[in-house]
Amino acid sequence: MKTFDFHRARDVDDALDLAARAGATYYAGGTNLLDLMKLGVAAPTTVVDVSQLGLDQITATDDGGIMIGSGVSNSAIANHDLVRTQYPVLSQAILSGATTQLRNMATAGGNLLQRTRCPYFMDAEFPACNKRRPGSGCGALQGFNREHALFGASPSCVAVHPSDMAVALSMLDAVVHVRASTGSRSISLADFFRLPGDEPDRDNTLLPGELIVGIQLPPSEYARRSWYLKVRDRHSYAFALVSVAVGLTLDDGVVISAAISLGGVAAKPWRVPDAESALVGNAAGDEAFRNAAEIALRGAAPLSQNRFKVDLGKHSVLRALHKASTR
Ligand code: SF4
């Protein structure tokens, strides 16, 4: 690991000042950043500790939603009463990832900012990775791509985002609140992550120095009927091959509204509005769910090794809809 300056920020303004230094990066739980630094994938010259900024609360908002401070641990989110009762799909998603120890350290903001686990990205010695070294090529395109993207990829990068939490947040229409020295702004989760295009080194739409301070969830109509399904190679401590967050509202067995977001298939959580619309007005059951699952995976562009993820995705959507509808 290369040497770096370490500063513990006193407050948000102090953090923003410190992060203005060239080569600076924020640090909270460190569960991904420290790995990347040890591997030589990340080499910040200044590390700004933002774990003591008082951003560790979950509060109810006036509109009936919640605000999750960016420094709240993943465990605290998953086990919070308001989350468990109003947003159970978020608890499910978080508890499906990592380990208890990691969830105790990892924060809400850091979870969104974790980097892909593409093996070529994680290997600092491998020569071709546009995300790690822009312009160097993409080892996964012709190499190991079994776990890679079905949607939204580019010739520059076919990696997927690894977060489970973000998939549930996407289904719940979360909004990310950020601070900069010039002011504050809010970014819908749909606009927070970037597809790779020809700049795969940029994972999201944050501007240099911007600090995530909170994640807001609007009131959820899916508290009663939702489900997070994660399919992976082994039962614990593995990233999703495919995951699905679904929410349904029903009236007398008919779908009134639906939300579906896929994980493990793109560089961002992948909402499927056409599949959601196809459910509305139909009886909640196998026929409508199968149709929605077909539509959800329509347009998938599998790579040489991950064609199996198309069928896996359809089955996962189908199973998750059945689970949600029978709760
Ligand atoms: Fe790098 Fe993206 Fe290609 Fe993986 S898929 S090798 S992260 S450019």
Side-chain angles (χ1 to χ4, degrees), residues 9 28 50 72 80 100 128 135 160 169 185 198 206 211 231 278 295 308 326:
V50 293
V72 182
H80 195 279
T100 303
V160 298
L169 292 176
R185 68 183 180 119
D198 55 9
L206 285 176
L211 174 68
V231 182
I295 294 171
F308 73 99
T326 52

Side-chain angles (χ1 to χ4, degrees), residues 1-322:
M1 191 189 291
K2 294 192 173 151
T3 56
F4 54 89
D5 294 331
F6 182 85
H7 298 274
R8 175 160 291 154
R10 295 184 306 274
D11 53 34
V12 170
D13 288 331
D14 190 33
L16 295 172
D17 281 349
L18 290 164
R21 301 178 181 194
T25 193
Y26 292 122
Y27 160 93
T31 55
N32 185 217
L33 178 64
L34 289 184
D35 279 349
L36 296 177
M37 290 170 70
K38 289 176 192 169
L39 291 168
V41 174
T45 51
T46 298
V47 172
V48 181
D49 180 357
V50 293
S51 65
Q52 308 293 316
L53 304 184
L55 301 172
D56 56 353
Q57 301 294 318
I58 297 177
T59 50
T61 54
D62 290 342
D63 66 355
I66 61 171
M67 178 70 83
I68 302 168
S70 58
V72 182
S73 75
N74 286 195
S75 293
I77 300 170
N79 294 313
H80 195 279
D81 277 350
L82 283 173
V83 175
R84 287 164 62 100
T85 55
Q86 300 303 308
Y87 309 94
V89 69
L90 180 57
S91 285
Q92 263 189 305
I94 290 171
L95 293 174
S96 75
T99 62
T100 303
Q101 292 89 339
L102 285 169
R103 291 193 295 267
N104 288 343
M105 292 297 294
T107 63
N111 190 309
L112 296 184
L113 297 180
Q114 63 179 302
R115 311 294 311 270
T116 184
R117 298 318 198 275
C118 171
Y120 304 106
F121 175 77
M122 299 290 283
D123 181 355
E125 301 298 317
F126 190 80
C129 175
N130 287 320
K131 188 179 279 294
R132 180 168 38 77
R133 214 170 59 177
S136 62
C138 172
L141 264 184
Q142 304 302 325
F144 177 81
N145 54 39
R146 177 177 177 275
E147 299 170 358
H148 289 64
L150 296 177
F151 296 102
S154 78
S156 296
C157 181
V158 293
V160 298
H161 196 270
S163 171
D164 295 294
M165 184 184 87
V167 181
L169 292 176
S170 159
M171 192 221 97
L172 294 165
D173 294 322
V175 174
V176 182
H177 293 263
V178 304
R179 280 275 310 273
S181 54
T182 50
S184 306
R185 68 183 180 119
S186 307
I187 313 166
S188 73
L189 199 86
D191 296 328
F192 180 80
F193 294 105
R194 288 185 74 254
L195 293 177
D198 55 9
E199 287 183 291
D201 51 314
R202 293 179 55 218
D203 293 349
N204 55 58
T205 55
L206 285 176
L207 300 172
E210 280 188 322
L211 174 68
I212 300 175
V213 292
I215 300 170
Q216 186 171 359
L217 290 178
S220 175
E221 56 188 324
Y222 302 120
R224 180 163 172 213
R225 290 192 173 90
S226 64
W227 196 257
Y228 186 74
L229 179 72
K230 178 175 181 178
V231 182
R232 46 191 161 171
D233 280 329
R234 60 170 187 261
H235 186 63
S236 70
Y237 200 38
F239 293 95
L241 291 167
V242 171
S243 68
V244 191
V246 302
L248 292 172
T249 59
L250 306 181
D251 183 17
D252 203 18
V254 173
V255 179
I256 303 302
S257 63
I260 306 172
S261 189
L262 304 178
V265 298
K268 60 193 291 184
W270 198 254
R271 280 291 288 263
V272 284
D274 289 348
E276 296 167 7
S277 304
L279 287 166
V280 175
N282 288 296
D286 202 58
E287 184 179 348
F289 294 167
R290 283 185 188 278
N291 182 49
E294 285 292 328
I295 294 171
L297 272 295
R298 194 180 282 165
L303 304 161
S304 58
Q305 298 177 352
N306 72 354
R307 184 167 294 276
F308 73 99
K309 285 173 71 166
V310 178
D311 277 344
L312 191 63
K314 292 177 188 175
H315 289 300
S316 300
V317 172
L318 178 63
R319 276 180 59 199
L321 287 169
H322 274 293

